[in-house]
Amino acid sequence: MKHTDMLLPLFTRLYHCHTGVDGYCPIFDDLCQAMDLEGITLVLAPPEVNWQHHRQCRCFDGGTGYRPLSELQPLLHHCQTRLRGRYWFRSLYAPSSHCRGALVVTLKGQYGQLASQLQWLALQLQQWQQHFWQLNRLRSLSRCLERWLNLSDRPQLIIDENGQVLLGNQSAQALLRLGDTIMRDDGGQLLMRGDGGGVIRFGEVLLSLVDSAQQVIKMPCAFQAVHLLRLPDSRYWLVMIKDPGLPARIDIKSLACLFSLSRAETEHLRLLARGCDNRQIAEERHVSLETVKTTQRSIYHKTGCHRHGELLLLLQAMS
């Protein structure tokens, strides 16, 4: 397709943009220039939210925006495509994810000359809206995770299921720029140099972890290991690079926030981190042994752990 080599880098920028609506709009401006369009307007409705709650929708503009946004509400509710004068309207609806979008493109020339490009644009934006809402949900549920990333001395990143780097703290960015052990390829995928000098692609590693919520990879350098942890209710992974020179200090509060643990579950985890067994936890909390076991099963479910050893490994990783 014409201009595909120009459009793919723009969509790569779109997936890597995390600065809010103001950060996305310049990318839509560039899309207009690349496709020779007068304007693009995209409205996204949050998943599983009544379409009439227009205040919760997000609007993105490029070029000359289409201002009668009320006309786009039916597009959010019904799947349709129509052409009216210089405007091409299209619903972006993915039933499996319940994401809904409405796209209107302001044309400079004839629609027929751009038909295949506009269909491609709509398909790409339909896929991107799912990524956009997943990233927003991750942020809203895990504000402490962002604090954890930014305040941590050790390198930490968030990658998607394909190994694409989404977020990273300053230590991680410095390590990526150095490029000795951890690096990114031209497509933004996370790589690691193995013992024999070969390259380990994190996307391939994650494919083998379908039934696992975490994995440890040893590293052939001053850093001890890479700990991969699947974030709850998402397709994203937290990558923690452990430095044995840093003292261990378990941040139970951040861990409880990340996995939405209750007060009882948080206290259980705090005692577990101190080395208490189930009987000691029951005595400290003044509850029955059966209650302790029930609480621990709930923690297993929320953290994705299946056994006591995995939970201890998680505590060690989050130290």
Side-chain angles (χ1 to χ4, degrees), residues 45-252:
E48 301 176 3
V49 171
N50 191 305
W51 69 278
Q52 293 177 335
H53 294 170
H54 57 87
R55 291 185 180 180
Q56 299 183 38
C57 293
R58 303 292 181 89
C59 184
F60 308 89
D61 277 329
T64 304
Y66 184 78
R67 287 302 157 204
L69 298 182
S70 59
E71 293 190 28
L72 302 186
Q73 291 290 350
L75 289 176
L76 293 172
H77 193 49
H78 302 288
C79 295
Q80 55 181 292
T81 302
R82 67 176 186 269
L83 181 66
R84 194 181 68 202
R86 295 190 305 128
Y87 301 107
W88 182 72
F89 297 84
R90 173 70 181 265
S91 297
L92 307 178
Y93 182 62
S96 60
S97 65
H98 305 289
C99 297
R100 291 160 302 222
L103 171 67
V104 59
V105 173
T106 308
L107 305 170
K108 285 184 179 179
Q110 296 296 320
Y111 166 75
Q113 300 172 350
L114 293 169
S116 61
Q117 292 188 57
L118 293 178
Q119 296 290 346
W120 185 86
L121 174 68
L123 177 62
Q124 298 301 317
L125 291 175
Q126 181 165 290
Q127 295 173 350
W128 173 73
Q129 68 173 331
Q130 299 178 49
H131 167 83
F132 175 80
W133 289 120
Q134 286 176 331
L135 194 59
N136 272 268
R137 185 174 185 274
L138 173 63
R139 284 177 169 176
S140 63
L141 292 178
S142 304
R143 292 180 182 176
C144 63
L145 176 62
E146 192 168 346
R147 179 177 66 85
W148 171 280
L149 284 174
N150 292 331
L151 297 182
S152 176
D153 293 330
R154 67 168 180 243
Q156 298 192 64
L157 307 107
I158 295 179
I159 60 176
D160 66 14
E161 57 193 356
N162 298 314
Q164 198 86 7
V165 177
L166 302 176
L167 297 171
N169 60 8
Q170 292 184 357
S171 298
Q173 296 295 346
L175 203 59
L176 289 172
R177 285 193 296 268
L178 194 61
D180 288 339
T181 305
I182 294 287
M183 65 211 80
R184 273 185 295 205
D185 64 11
D186 294 337
Q189 289 200 7
L190 188 63
L191 312 174
M192 186 180 79
R193 203 175 304 281
D195 288 315
V199 173
I200 299 173
R201 306 187 71 88
F202 277 73
E204 296 174 1
V205 173
L206 297 180
L207 285 175
S208 64
L209 302 179
V210 178
D211 298 325
S212 177
Q214 54 184 317
Q215 177 73 24
V216 177
I217 305 175
K218 292 184 178 180
M219 298 177 63
C221 65
F223 294 99
Q224 187 179 35
V226 171
H227 195 110
L228 291 169
L229 174 69
R230 191 198 303 273
L231 296 173
D233 300 323
S234 76
R235 61 186 183 90
Y236 301 114
W237 291 75
L238 177 62
V239 180
M240 297 171 286
I241 302 174
K242 302 300 295 293
D243 185 346
L246 291 177
R249 186 181 67 254
I250 300 175
D251 188 346
I252 296 293

